[in-house]
Amino acid sequence: MRESWWESLLDDVSSFCDSHGILIPKLDEPYFPGKSKRKCLDVCYSHHLRVEIFGAVIDVQLQEFNDRFDVVSSDLLLGMGSLNPVNSFSNFDKDRIMTLAKCYPNEFDDRKLRDLSY
C-alpha cells in the first residue's frame, strides 16, 4: 500500500507545488534535520519523506481506523470499496466481496454463495 500510494502522492504534490510556484527540494540531496546544515543523517530527502513522514502518517491513520472500527465493520467497508467502479473496478477483490456477501445470510444462501464464488 505504501509503495503504490507514494508515487501517486509525490506526483500530486509536485504538480501542486509547480502550479503554485513552491520550491521543491531535490529528493536525492542529503536531508538535514531542523535548521542545522551540519547534522547530516546519511539519508536523502526522498527517504526522509517516504519513510519518516509518509510511513508514519499511514501508521497513525491505520491505527485510528483500527481503533474506530471492529472487524465486521472493516470487512463491510472493504467489501463496499471492492465494488467501486472507479478506474474500471481497480479495487475489485473477490475475497472481500465474498466476505461482504457472508454478512448478509438472508440475501445469500449457500447456493448463491457458491455461485458467486465462481
Side-chain angles (χ1 to χ4, degrees):
M1 173 170 63
R2 294 170 195 228
E3 293 304 317
S4 62
W5 288 1
W6 170 249
E7 292 299 324
S8 175
L9 176 67
L10 191 58
D11 291 342
D12 290 346
V13 170
S14 296
S15 175
F16 177 85
C17 290
D18 288 342
S19 65
H20 290 85
I22 299 171
L23 181 65
I24 302 171
K26 293 182 181 175
L27 297 180
D28 57 348
E29 289 185 356
Y31 170 71
F32 297 94
K35 295 181 181 183
S36 172
K37 295 293 181 186
R38 294 182 185 182
K39 297 179 185 176
C40 182
L41 297 178
D42 284 338
V43 297
C44 60
Y45 274 102
S46 176
H47 175 83
H48 168 70
L49 294 173
R50 187 179 70 247
V51 175
E52 297 176 22
I53 304 294
F54 183 69
V57 169
I58 293 293
D59 289 342
V60 168
Q61 292 295 317
L62 284 174
Q63 185 61 48
E64 185 172 335
F65 178 83
N66 289 333
D67 290 345
R68 290 180 183 256
F69 299 102
D70 61 3
V71 174
V72 174
S73 297
S74 298
D75 287 343
L76 288 171
L77 288 171
L78 292 170
M80 295 302 291
S82 294
L83 296 171
N84 188 349
V86 172
N87 294 331
S88 300
F89 292 92
S90 62
N91 291 328
F92 182 82
D93 186 332
K94 182 179 175 182
D95 293 331
R96 287 184 176 161
I97 293 172
M98 291 299 297
T99 302
L100 177 65
K102 290 174 186 174
C103 291
Y104 295 94
N106 293 339
E107 300 293 326
F108 295 94
D109 59 13
D110 289 338
R111 185 182 58 78
K112 287 183 180 179
L113 285 173
R114 192 173 45 253
D115 292 344
L116 188 61
S117 68
Y118 289 111

